[in-house]
């Protein structure tokens, strides 16, 4: 396997990996891609190892191919027309893949060669390469294709993403950082995400000191929390519960704060009172047998529409099918009013629990959340430091700022 030609590029490839799930890796990747597009003509993107996938059309192969969902998001949002889907997501790990690998049905050499070939295709067509890993650094170890191994093979420098805080975040980073060291992968820097606003300056100060003094690594970004990015849209709940809105499809991209979801167990009168005093964009959850609540919701919806007033509430009905279902007459009323109502085939308790612990993922259909993620994250990323660190003057040294060299311990 030949060594990728990276020294001819102005920057070494940039590999983004997280310390665990749900820490904002894709949001950071979006921000990096947006910033790199302002500095380079052609940004390449590769998701070497993916899990959740979908089918898209490859123009070069004139065939359908499987790609990780983040590949479609990045390619379409940033209009990376110089790239072909055929080379953007070389390895997909569906259920059963690990067993096949251990049983010898999947070849390690073929697997890594697929990544290598895809990288070379993208690298040749791009001025700079951005790679997004899967989960924490160790994900993929069972099939000998973890993030550190892939970053090493592609000659990439690593950007680690961790959730806000100092102590626990640094502990998580230490595990992942040392795995990078074991695979001879340089760490370009760290992004700390979802930082509580009242802890922002403290987190930035002490995390910067820890990273600088112990590893000689800069804090590339300290991103304050933006709760909206964690608010699911109705479309997210459709995917989560494998169902569809009974009506109101045009409101699928309307987002709701899960901390303000209302479980309706009260009388119709109290429910109607809540509808009028609570924020208009509130999600209500009740059992599908509460015909009084359903009629009350539809009545208030109709009244608001007739007045031309704003009404952004949604109703989630719970109850396992086919034991519990809506009366056909109620379904007709919901559809005729086009009210946003979702029927979930779970108990009320289970539905509430599932929504409360759900972390919505960015996707190409949710343009509002994708745009807000980029606008929020990009200003907090220090691109000058990142590109200074990844400038490929040699394969064995960083271009470190003077203020990080003096009197500090460096691991590279």
């Amino acid at each position: 396997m030949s060594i990728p030609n990276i020294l001819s590029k102005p920057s070494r490839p940039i590999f983004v990996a997280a310390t665990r799930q749900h820490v904002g890796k894709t949001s950071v990747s979006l921000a990096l891609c947006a910033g790199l597009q302002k500095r380079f003509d052609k940004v390449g993107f590769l998701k070497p190892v993916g899990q959740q996938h979908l089918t898209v059309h490859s123009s070069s192969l004139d065939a359908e191919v499987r790609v990780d969902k983040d590949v479609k998001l990045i390619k379409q949002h940033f209009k990376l027309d110089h790239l072909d889907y055929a080379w953007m997501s070389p390895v997909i790990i569906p259920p059963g893949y690990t067993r096949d690998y251990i049983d010898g049905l999947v070849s390690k050499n073929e697997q890594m060669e697929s990544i290598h070939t895809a990288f070379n295709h993208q690298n040749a067509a791009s001025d700079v390469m951005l790679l997004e890993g899967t989960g924490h650094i160790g994900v993929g170890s069972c099939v000998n294709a973890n993030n550190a191994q892939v970053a090493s093979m592609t000659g990439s420098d690593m950007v680690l993403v961790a959730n806000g805080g100092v102590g626990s975040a640094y502990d998580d980073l230490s595990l992942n950082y040392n795995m990078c060291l074991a695979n001879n992968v340089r760490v370009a820097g760290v992004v700390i995400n979802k930082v509580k606003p009242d802890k922002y300056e403290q987190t930035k100060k002490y995390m910067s000191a820890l990273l600088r003094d112990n590893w000689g690594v800069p804090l590339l970004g300290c991103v304050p929390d933006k709760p909206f990015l964690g608010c699911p849209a109705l479309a997210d709940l459709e995917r989560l519960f494998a169902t569809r809105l009974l009506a109101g499809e045009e409101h699928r991209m309307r987002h709701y704060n899960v901390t303000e979801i209302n479980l309706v167990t009260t009388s119709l009168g109290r429910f109607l009172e809540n509808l009028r005093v609570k924020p208009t964009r509130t999600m209500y959850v009740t059992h599908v047998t509460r015909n009084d609540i359903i009629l009350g919701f539809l009545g208030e919806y109709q009244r608001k529409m007739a007045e031309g007033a704003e009404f952004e509430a949604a109703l989630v009905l719970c109850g396992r099918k086919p034991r519990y279902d809506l009366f056909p007459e109620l379904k007709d009323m919901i559809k005729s009013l086009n009210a946003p109502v979702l029927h979930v085939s779970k108990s009320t308790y289970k539905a509430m629990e599932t929504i409360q612990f759900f972390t919505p993922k960015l996707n190409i259909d949710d343009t509002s959340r994708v745009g807000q993620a980029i606008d929020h994250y990009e200003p907090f990323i220090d691109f000058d430091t990142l590109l200074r660190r990844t400038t490929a003057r040699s394969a064995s040294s960083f271009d470190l700022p003077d203020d990080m060299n003096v009197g500090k311990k460096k691991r590279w």
Side-chain angles (χ1 to χ4, degrees), residues 94-374:
Y97 187 93
T98 300
R99 292 193 300 272
D100 289 344
Y101 181 88
I102 296 172
D103 289 337
L105 302 178
V106 176
S107 165
K108 174 186 176 181
N109 291 337
E110 290 180 3
Q111 175 182 261
M112 297 304 279
E113 185 62 42
S114 295
I115 296 173
H116 185 263
T117 300
F119 176 85
N120 283 342
H121 271 276
Q122 307 297 60
N123 189 49
S126 308
D127 299 317
V128 65
M129 282 295 297
L130 178 65
L131 295 81
E132 183 183 339
T134 298
H136 59 76
I137 292 292
V139 169
S141 294
C142 284
V143 297
N144 284 297
N146 66 48
N147 291 301
Q149 290 171 309
V150 174
S152 179
M153 183 187 70
T154 55
S156 301
D157 290 340
M158 188 70 72
V159 172
L160 292 173
V161 183
N163 261 355
V166 177
S168 61
Y170 185 80
D171 292 344
D172 287 344
L173 285 164
S174 294
L175 293 171
N176 290 271
Y177 175 77
N178 282 292
M179 197 164 192
C180 289
L181 290 184
N183 286 273
N184 199 32
V185 174
R186 310 190 311 182
V187 177
V190 168
V191 175
I192 299 298
N193 184 33
K194 302 180 183 178
V195 179
K196 294 179 179 178
D198 61 331
K199 300 287 186 181
Y200 183 82
E201 293 300 332
Q202 173 184 297
T203 300
K204 186 176 181 179
K205 175 183 176 180
Y206 289 107
M207 184 59 76
S208 295
L210 280 170
L211 297 173
R212 180 191 63 226
D213 295 348
N214 294 337
W215 302 338
V217 169
L219 180 64
L220 294 174
C222 189
V223 184
D225 190 27
K226 186 177 178 67
F228 169 77
L229 297 177
C231 294
L234 292 174
D236 293 313
L237 299 187
E238 286 183 318
R239 286 187 288 269
L240 178 64
F241 293 112
T243 187
R244 299 286 292 182
L245 282 165
L246 297 173
E249 287 83 0
E250 65 269 30
H251 305 306
R252 295 179 69 246
M253 293 304 162
R254 187 178 285 169
H255 300 82
Y256 293 85
N257 189 337
V258 296
T259 62
E260 296 178 358
I261 291 177
N262 269 241
L263 174 62
V264 183
T265 59
T266 58
S267 66
L268 173 59
R270 182 56 59 87
F271 171 64
L272 292 175
E273 179 184 346
N274 286 337
L275 273 178
R276 298 185 183 189
V277 299
K278 288 187 177 295
T280 180
R281 187 173 291 199
T282 300
M283 181 179 292
Y284 297 92
V285 180
T286 194
H287 198 267
V288 71
T289 57
R290 288 296 305 269
N291 296 327
D292 58 333
I293 299 299
I294 299 170
L295 289 170
F297 178 85
L298 295 178
E300 186 67 6
Y301 183 85
Q302 186 177 34
R303 186 181 73 83
K304 290 284 190 179
M305 293 300 101
E307 294 176 353
E310 186 177 53
F311 187 78
E312 297 182 318
L315 183 63
V316 176
L317 303 175
C318 306
R320 296 185 183 90
K321 301 176 183 178
R323 182 177 179 183
Y324 299 107
D325 206 349
L326 275 170
F327 286 110
E329 294 80 6
L330 283 177
K331 286 184 180 179
D332 290 341
M333 290 179 67
I334 291 169
K335 291 177 181 178
S336 66
L337 290 173
N338 203 31
V341 178
L342 194 71
H343 185 185
V344 173
S345 188
K346 288 184 179 294
S347 67
T348 305
Y349 170 79
K350 191 63 180 178
M352 286 286 291
E353 181 184 52
T354 302
I355 295 172
Q356 290 285 349
F357 289 100
F358 173 58
T359 300
K361 295 296 185 180
L362 294 164
N363 64 84
I364 190 60
D365 297 322
D366 197 345
T367 54
S368 173
R369 189 159 55 202
V370 171
Q372 289 204 37
I374 294 170

